[in-house]
């Protein structure tokens, strides 16, 4: 296997192997950014979300990046990660993603927010389904039925 030496797309410092959220990544000792190979970003997301919760597009508002891919040196594209205000850079040849210092934590926060939103959505759908069936469970519809349902005359 060929040993590759990658340089930081921000400051050209040689990248060192390191661990971030228990994933082996190439890290810049100067700027603390990290290169995530293509499959490693999915591993990062998987630290807080399962496959179903990770479905969907991740790259919105794509534009040309000022950075070059450390693998192929072609210009990367910048994008808003999962339509959040988090800009990441990706190799157009799908070699991987550049995450500046702290962005791995932001990716995890986005995924946690996504999981929470999906759970709220699922709970709301479940409550709506119960209300349509006429279940006298809690919630607004159940409370309204309790107030007015027993007073028919």
């Amino acid at each position: 296997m060929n040993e590759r030496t990658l340089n930081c797309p921000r400051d050209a410092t040689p990248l060192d192997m390191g661990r971030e959220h228990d994933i082996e990544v190439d890290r810049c000792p100067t700027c603390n950014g990290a290169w995530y190979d293509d499959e490693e970003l999915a591993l990062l997301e998987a630290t807080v979300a399962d496959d179903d919760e990770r479905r969907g597009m991740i790259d919105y508002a794509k534009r040309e990046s000022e950075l070059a891919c450390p693998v192929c040196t072609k210009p990367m594209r910048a994008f808003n990660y999962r339509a959040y205000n988090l800009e990441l850079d990706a190799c157009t040849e799908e070699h991987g993603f550049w995450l500046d210092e702290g962005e791995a934590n932001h990716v995890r926060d986005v995924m946690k927010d996504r999981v929470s939103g999906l759970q709220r959505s699922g709970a709301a759908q479940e409550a709506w389904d119960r209300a349509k069936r006429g279940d006298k469970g809690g919630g607004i519809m159940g409370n309204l039925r309790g107030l007015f349902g027993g007073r028919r005359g």
Side-chain angles (χ1 to χ4, degrees), residues 4-153:
R4 63 181 183 167
T5 301
L6 302 178
N7 292 322
C8 175
R10 291 257 178 238
D11 57 35
T13 301
L15 300 179
D16 297 328
M17 292 306 293
R19 294 195 81 71
E20 200 165 83
H21 301 288
D22 211 27
I23 301 165
E24 192 171 280
V25 296
D26 299 287
R27 297 194 53 80
C28 177
T30 304
C31 74
N32 294 315
W35 178 251
Y36 279 73
D37 291 333
D38 198 42
E39 67 281 353
E40 291 169 346
L41 186 64
L43 291 174
L44 177 64
E45 291 179 333
T47 64
V48 293
D50 66 27
D51 287 345
D52 286 338
E53 295 160 338
R54 292 185 292 125
R55 287 189 182 160
M57 280 181 45
I58 69 164
D59 53 348
Y60 291 80
K62 298 177 213 175
R63 58 207 162 278
E64 191 173 310
S65 172
E66 64 188 34
L67 304 178
C69 172
V71 175
C72 67
T73 69
K74 292 182 179 179
M76 289 197 281
R77 73 172 182 275
F79 64 94
N80 288 359
Y81 174 73
R82 294 199 181 267
Y84 282 73
N85 188 24
L86 173 58
E87 184 177 281
L88 301 181
D89 298 276
C91 175
T92 57
E93 300 294 318
E94 299 182 358
H95 290 123
F97 301 87
W98 180 256
L99 279 66
D100 289 320
E101 182 178 16
E103 287 181 337
N105 290 330
H106 292 298
V107 165
R108 287 171 43 89
D109 290 343
V110 165
M111 290 311 299
K112 287 176 187 174
D113 186 53
R114 183 178 176 89
V115 168
S116 176
L118 289 171
Q119 288 170 344
R120 280 192 309 271
S121 177
Q125 182 64 48
E126 198 174 295
W128 176 250
D129 290 344
R130 277 194 317 268
K132 286 190 324 188
R133 289 191 308 265
D135 291 355
K136 290 194 176 188
I140 294 171
M141 296 301 287
N143 291 340
L144 288 174
R145 274 193 207 87
L147 286 173
F148 301 110
R151 296 197 174 166
R152 292 188 178 197

